[in-house]
Amino acid sequence: MSGGWNTIESDAGVFTYLVDNLGVKNVQFEELIALDADYLEEQRYVISRISYFGVAFILLDSPVYGVIFLFKYPTGEATQSSDAPKDGAFDFDAAENLFFAAQTIQNACGTQALLSVLLNQETEVEIGPKLKEFKEFTGALPSALRGEALSNSELIRDVHNSFARSSPFIDEAQRQRSDDDDVYHFIAYTSINGILYELDGLQPAPISHGSCTFEEFSNKVIPVLQRRIERYPAHEIRFNLLAMVRDLRLRAREIGDQEWLNREEQKRSGWQWENALRRHNFVGFTGEVLKGVVRSKLQDQGDLYTDWVEEAKAKTLSRTQQRGLAERAVEKAES
């Protein structure tokens, strides 16, 4: 069971306003679509009039607090390995000295991943009184109980659920997982006390990937992510990477770039619009549109309505068959 936690999307606008609603100041998320270290190094000193291709890593004086990585979870593998992870090394001593929470419930891993960055970057980020109180309350608890405390936090759960898509058919909070479901998982990477950590609530402890200062994070996290992606088949592309950065509007104001500031404000307006749409389902609206289309067809074309319906059925059947052929081809290639 998901204990009242609904699924949220890995989306920069969702995560930005989620942390904003939790009281965090001057933080936003940017989606990254490139993991090319050479490209990022070449662009390091570009500060304005840039494209948004890898923007979080190429803005001068725009700190990167951490990254949130979404991937398709290999359900055939064991959830935890107490011996050694596939990359890096478990740091059991650090598990009680930084904020690390075991994931104890489904659907909460996105919010848990972003909190794993925020609550370990309190010296860099103003996390606000509510999250500060939560961190102080859970500070003395072991990681398993921290996970339980997070899962039972009404404040965090309510803010999280306010960004879930509205569905009139399925209550995600009550739906049971099936073996046919694609399972996705969020994990966090951030620099803490001079070490690059992978924070995954399904693992028994934080995973250390070696020394890494706050300033080195952008360069050192890239090869770690590349190795992670290389574990998957070449055709697997279902990944998403979000960087937690300082509010880019602040940097635009500091350097007096009004055009850049306007772009950021427009982006924020778009995020707010999309988040508002997520809170509503449009089944009733869609039904009325379809009724209107059918009514128009009956009035204008009479007997042609039946031909129109049969044509639509044929197209749907054709697409279904093509999809099945493509899936079988992929399965054959994998075997």
Side-chain angles (χ1 to χ4, degrees):
M1 299 292 289
S2 55
W5 291 75
N6 295 323
T7 302
I8 63 172
E9 297 176 56
S10 181
D11 178 84
V14 169
F15 279 32
T16 296
Y17 280 98
L18 193 157
V19 299
D20 186 72
N21 288 357
L22 286 172
V24 180
K25 303 297 184 183
N26 302 327
V27 165
Q28 76 178 65
F29 287 82
E30 285 293 320
E31 185 172 5
L32 304 180
I33 56 176
L35 283 178
D36 188 329
D38 292 336
Y39 172 80
L40 297 176
E41 185 67 22
E42 289 171 3
Q43 301 295 320
R44 173 176 288 187
Y45 298 104
V46 179
I47 61 174
S48 65
R49 304 298 195 275
I50 61 173
S51 71
Y52 283 89
F53 187 76
V55 64
F57 285 161
I58 63 182
L59 287 173
L60 182 65
D61 295 333
S62 181
V64 182
Y65 305 120
V67 297
I68 310 299
F69 183 53
L70 172 71
F71 58 97
K72 185 175 183 296
Y73 194 79
T75 53
E77 296 183 3
T79 301
Q80 296 183 351
S81 171
S82 59
D83 298 327
K86 293 184 177 180
D87 190 21
F90 287 128
D91 190 342
F92 289 95
D93 292 334
E96 308 307 327
N97 299 322
L98 51 82
F99 182 82
F100 176 76
Q103 183 177 333
T104 61
I105 204 163
Q106 293 176 0
N107 296 340
C109 58
T111 294
Q112 181 162 333
L114 67 85
L115 289 177
S116 294
V117 176
L118 281 173
L119 299 186
N120 286 303
Q121 295 294 338
E122 194 175 356
T123 59
E124 302 289 338
V125 178
E126 184 181 346
I127 63 174
K130 296 176 182 178
L131 288 183
K132 185 174 293 186
E133 180 182 353
F134 175 79
K135 182 179 180 180
E136 291 173 352
F137 171 73
T138 60
L141 301 177
S143 59
L145 291 182
R146 285 180 190 158
E148 290 291 344
L150 193 159
S151 299
N152 288 293
S153 168
E154 290 187 11
L155 165 69
I156 298 174
R157 184 178 64 240
D158 290 346
V159 171
H160 168 102
N161 285 343
S162 71
F163 291 91
R165 283 192 178 276
S166 176
S167 172
F169 303 116
I170 299 175
D171 182 356
E172 287 287 344
Q174 302 298 326
R175 189 176 75 89
Q176 294 279 2
R177 294 279 188 194
S178 72
D179 293 337
D180 295 329
D181 285 349
D182 284 335
V183 179
Y184 293 89
H185 185 50
F186 292 88
I187 59 176
Y189 293 88
T190 189
S191 173
I192 309 170
N193 300 326
I195 298 176
L196 173 57
Y197 280 111
E198 175 184 330
L199 302 174
D200 179 354
L202 295 181
Q203 297 297 331
I207 298 174
S208 169
H209 291 281
S211 63
C212 175
T213 65
F214 183 78
E215 293 73 20
E216 294 174 324
F217 175 76
S218 297
N219 287 323
K220 290 200 171 182
V221 74
I222 292 174
V224 176
L225 290 167
Q226 289 173 331
R227 291 196 299 270
R228 176 111 199 183
I229 292 173
E230 287 169 359
R231 298 181 203 167
Y232 290 82
H235 67 267
E236 180 58 72
I237 59 172
R238 287 170 289 186
F239 306 105
N240 185 255
L241 185 64
L242 295 174
M244 183 188 294
V245 301
R246 182 174 176 245
D247 188 337
L248 297 179
R249 297 174 300 178
L250 299 179
R251 183 58 182 154
R253 293 190 183 101
E254 289 168 359
I255 65 175
D257 191 331
Q258 189 61 42
E259 182 180 341
W260 182 13
L261 178 59
N262 291 341
R263 289 200 304 267
E264 289 300 320
E265 293 289 3
Q266 290 172 2
K267 182 167 62 179
R268 291 278 180 142
S269 296
W271 284 346
Q272 288 180 314
W273 171 249
E274 292 169 0
N275 288 338
L277 292 179
R278 286 184 177 92
R279 296 186 178 96
H280 303 280
N281 77 74
F282 296 91
V283 173
F285 172 76
T286 303
E288 292 303 315
V289 170
L290 290 175
K291 288 178 183 178
V293 171
V294 171
R295 189 180 303 114
S296 174
K297 289 287 184 180
L298 287 172
Q299 291 173 351
D300 298 341
Q301 298 184 8
D303 293 340
L304 293 178
Y305 170 71
T306 301
D307 295 337
W308 177 58
V309 171
E310 293 302 322
E311 180 182 355
K313 289 181 179 179
K315 288 182 178 179
T316 300
L317 178 61
S318 176
R319 284 195 293 267
T320 302
Q321 291 173 339
Q322 290 175 359
R323 189 181 303 115
L325 290 173
E327 291 175 351
R328 286 193 290 274
V330 169
E331 292 174 354
K332 185 176 180 180
E334 290 178 345
S335 60

